[in-house]
Amino acid sequence: MAQNITPLIAGNWKMNGLRVSLFEVEKLASHLTSGEPPRCTVALCPPATLIAAMNRIAAPAGIVVGAQDCHPAASGAHTGDLSAPMLADAGAQLVIVGHSERRTDHHETDELVRQKAQAVLAAGLTPIICVGETLAEREAGRADAVVSRQLAASVPEEAAELDVVIAYEPVWAIGTGLTPTSADIAQMHKSLRDQLVARFGAKGETIRLLYGGSLKPANAREILAIAHVNGGLVGGASLLADDLFAIISAA
Ligand code: PEP
């Protein structure tokens, strides 16, 4: 990982977790506070229903709490949606936007993802903007083109000044146990870095690039050591404190 970027390990609980599940956060907090302090920033993005309660346990242990999505507007007639200022009010500091499950399940476009990222920044929070190709796109040799298009269109101009995080998550690696080869991850992250530098200059060197997709204790050390991998977005393995702590320790 780049020496001048503090890595971020962010857990995405997806649509999992009830209040009773917070004992895993208590366990993670105890792991993190009982030994050497972690050399990375640790974050958890639970369902919005748990943000406030999780924060009460997480914040004293230095764990940042985030959300998984937001509406692009700050308020208004959007029944069932949550805005970035509401998530901030509940204690979120990060918001995942453009996760492939939302791009697929809710037909989210790059344009909408960019608007959501702008809303997150306007609320004073940090967006984790997800990009990644499907298996069909990779097999057709279009992974680079697809991810480059998503990056260009989903990352707002405000990233020139404000803090954003990019997560490269090949769709076919999410929740499947499959991962790209280290060479493929290295190639994609180098390409993402080059594009960010071409667009944002020196600022582009500092933007965290996370890898996501079946990251687990068994592969974390190898993947997190790849150049331009500045941490990970972790789904399934983030639900268990022991697994997430093993990934944090690998970072
Ligand atoms: C994710 O959903 O962001 C993810 C990376 O999931 P998993 O780790 O389960 O593949």
Side-chain angles (χ1 to χ4, degrees), residues 19-149:
R19 279 180 299 163
V20 68
S21 322
L22 293 173
F23 78 90
E24 291 290 346
V25 186
E26 280 163 10
K27 197 170 176 188
L28 181 65
S30 146
H31 285 326
L32 289 171
T33 51
S34 57
E36 256 185 59
R39 297 200 197 134
C40 58
T41 304
V42 177
L44 281 173
C45 301
T49 48
L50 289 180
I51 289 172
M54 184 181 282
N55 219 7
R56 286 193 280 278
I57 303 165
I63 303 168
V64 172
V65 174
Q68 301 174 12
D69 180 50
C70 69
H71 192 280
S75 63
H78 304 289
T79 303
D81 280 315
L82 295 171
S83 72
M86 290 170 179
L87 298 170
D89 190 45
Q93 296 181 55
L94 299 165
V95 185
I96 299 170
V97 294
H99 190 282
S100 66
E101 286 151 16
R102 293 211 58 91
R103 287 180 186 261
T104 304
D105 298 353
H106 299 271
H107 312 290
E108 294 196 358
T109 61
D110 291 331
E111 165 71 8
L112 179 61
V113 174
R114 185 175 53 73
Q115 290 172 3
K116 290 185 175 197
Q118 286 173 315
V120 172
L121 290 167
L125 309 182
T126 300
I128 301 180
I129 304 167
C130 301
V131 296
E133 81 286 356
T134 63
L135 188 56
E137 288 162 345
R138 175 157 286 269
E139 287 177 346
R142 294 177 47 228
D144 279 340
V146 168
V147 173
S148 299
R149 185 211 74 221

Side-chain angles (χ1 to χ4, degrees), residues 179-216:
T179 52
T181 64
S182 291
D184 283 343
I185 296 174
Q187 182 271 324
M188 187 61 84
H189 278 243
K190 170 82 170 77
S191 162
L192 291 170
R193 176 67 68 214
D194 289 348
Q195 291 170 63
L196 291 171
V197 171
R199 184 169 166 195
F200 299 115
K203 175 68 168 37
E205 299 275 12
T206 68
I207 294 175
R208 281 162 161 161
L209 293 175
L210 310 186
Y211 168 79
S214 297
L215 195 60
K216 49 189 180 229

